Amino acid sequence: MLTCKQFLQELNDYLDETLDPQTRAELQKHVNECPNCWVVCDTTQKTLKVFKGMDPKPIPDDIHTRLWDALERKMRDKGPASC
Amino acid sequence: MTLLLIDWNYFSVSTSTVASGFDESALVARAQAGDMAAFSELVQHYDRRVFRMAKQITQNDDDAEDVLQETFLKAYTHLGDFHGNSKFYTWLVRIAVNEALMKLRKRRSDRTVPLDEPIDTGEDEVVREIAVWDQNPEDSYSREELAELLDQAIQSLKPAYRTVFILRDIEEMSIEETAAALGLSISAVKSRLLRARLQLREKLTRQFKRKGDDAFAYL
């Protein structure tokens, strides 16, 4: 019988679906029977989903302008990138 | 101190991004053939993500700007060293991470290098908040509020955990790529990632838990 601590140690691989079928089945059984681990697993999964769903904010205009100034200087000085 | 040296040809998975008219491989090939407009298009496509990552790692606007510039300037200079053995963006991330970590180390040179800090791998303190979340709790926040909340949660992590989480779960690099980019072992990446995920889960649970549910309600 898997303990909660053992489940937690495997949580990454469980969420990333990188476990062999037998280990995954054991973890699945534990999570179905243990309310605490079910909550931890569910909320960790939702945590990852929230972070992955965030688009990056626009770069502030002044920073953006300076980036392009620097790139234009580099392209002018170095010429075309080449292999 | 761990020195990170960029091995430009490390990555072995060959893929290309073709989405909504953006063909990464074709743009890289054109840029390598001397088409500056193609390189500019790559910059336009990725600059926001590079800046976000730089800011998340360095926690500082000035450093993030330096990282942003250095990343694309170095990418332009070394474009000929990129042989398409990985996604171009993965290669770009590796440059950006290297630059960002150098900033962190420089800033903290009088103290322990953050990525080399011994990591407490005990799990006893990482699962305290056990409560189900509201249905789609993020919908209760404006986009800006949610972004701020997530930024704060990431900022609260130790750099060693933060950097692994950013690469693996935000930039969606593999465990192996994350390990190579940070000069860490696979097992170190896995243990830091677990800690980061659980700490973030805990922080978000405090915000998102269903009203009326007490912590440990399921004990």
Side-chain angles (χ1 to χ4, degrees):
Chain A
M1 177 70 183
L2 209 64
T3 65
C4 294
K5 190 173 178 182
Q6 287 170 322
F7 175 80
L8 210 55
Q9 284 166 348
E10 301 288 346
L11 181 62
N12 269 347
D13 289 331
Y14 181 73
L15 292 175
D16 294 343
E17 300 185 359
T18 54
L19 291 167
D20 62 84
Q22 190 188 339
T23 310
R24 183 164 181 82
E26 283 173 29
L27 292 170
Q28 187 70 57
K29 185 171 185 295
H30 179 85
V31 84
N32 287 341
E33 293 170 352
C34 175
N36 283 344
C37 285
W38 183 87
V39 171
V40 171
C41 183
D42 179 62
T43 50
T44 306
Q45 206 159 26
K46 286 175 176 166
T47 297
L48 300 183
K49 194 175 158 206
V50 170
F51 276 101
K52 284 178 180 172
M54 287 302 294
D55 289 330
K57 288 184 276 190
I59 297 175
D61 285 346
D62 53 339
I63 293 178
H64 202 246
T65 302
R66 287 193 290 271
L67 167 66
W68 284 100
D69 287 348
L71 275 171
E72 280 169 20
R73 271 198 307 276
K74 170 66 86 177
M75 288 175 175
R76 205 170 42 235
D77 294 347
K78 184 181 179 289
S82 60
C83 301
Chain B
M1 177 186 287
T2 303
L3 286 177
L4 292 174
L5 299 175
I6 295 179
D7 174 0
W8 304 102
N9 300 313
Y10 170 78
F11 299 101
S12 58
V13 180
S14 180
T15 49
S16 66
T17 302
V18 183
S20 50
F22 178 79
D23 186 339
E24 185 187 85
S25 301
L27 285 170
V28 170
R30 280 171 47 203
Q32 286 180 323
D35 183 344
M36 294 183 190
F39 186 79
S40 298
E41 204 171 320
L42 288 165
V43 176
Q44 280 169 351
H45 194 78
Y46 291 127
D47 59 0
R48 286 185 185 193
R49 286 174 67 182
V50 169
F51 185 69
R52 174 178 68 176
M53 184 179 55
K55 196 166 168 191
Q56 283 171 335
I57 295 175
T58 63
Q59 306 285 294
N60 176 301
D61 271 350
D62 290 340
D63 285 346
E65 179 176 357
D66 286 349
V67 170
L68 176 73
Q69 284 195 16
E70 281 305 309
T71 299
F72 286 111
L73 293 175
K74 284 193 173 171
Y76 187 76
T77 303
H78 293 279
L79 201 54
D81 299 326
F82 176 72
H83 298 302
N85 296 324
S86 72
K87 286 183 190 172
F88 175 75
Y89 183 64
T90 305
W91 184 71
L92 211 53
V93 165
R94 228 165 121 68
I95 301 174
V97 167
N98 210 37
E99 292 296 321
L101 295 183
M102 281 197 292
K103 287 283 179 194
L104 269 190
R105 291 192 171 108
K106 197 171 174 185
R107 207 193 306 157
R108 301 178 191 212
S109 57
D110 57 337
R111 299 201 287 128
T112 310
V113 177
L115 285 176
D116 296 342
E117 280 176 1
I119 300 297
D120 172 13
T121 53
E123 284 100 19
D124 54 329
E125 62 174 341
V126 293
V127 180
R128 285 178 296 242
E129 289 275 2
I130 300 181
V132 291
W133 286 10
D134 266 334
Q135 196 78 20
N136 302 319
E138 62 271 32
D139 293 347
S140 310
Y141 296 81
S142 71
R143 199 165 179 74
E144 291 72 25
E145 286 171 337
L146 185 62
E148 180 66 26
L149 198 153
L150 298 183
D151 274 351
Q152 282 176 4
I154 285 190
Q155 279 172 31
S156 70
L157 296 176
K158 284 183 177 178
Y161 301 139
R162 192 168 67 224
T163 313
V164 167
F165 180 80
I166 291 166
L167 294 195
R168 175 71 184 106
D169 284 334
I170 296 182
E171 297 307 325
E172 302 189 36
M173 292 170 77
S174 68
I175 294 281
E176 291 75 16
E177 286 170 341
T178 303
L182 298 175
L184 295 171
S185 66
I186 301 281
S187 63
V189 167
K190 284 187 170 182
S191 78
R192 290 176 192 202
L193 183 65
L194 178 63
R195 206 64 192 275
R197 286 175 169 182
L198 291 175
Q199 287 184 11
L200 290 171
R201 183 208 72 87
E202 186 131 332
K203 288 172 202 308
L204 294 196
T205 294
R206 290 189 198 118
Q207 301 289 330
F208 293 164
K209 67 183 173 189
R210 195 164 64 198
K211 304 297 175 280
D213 276 356
D214 293 323
F216 302 105
Y218 291 85
L219 284 175

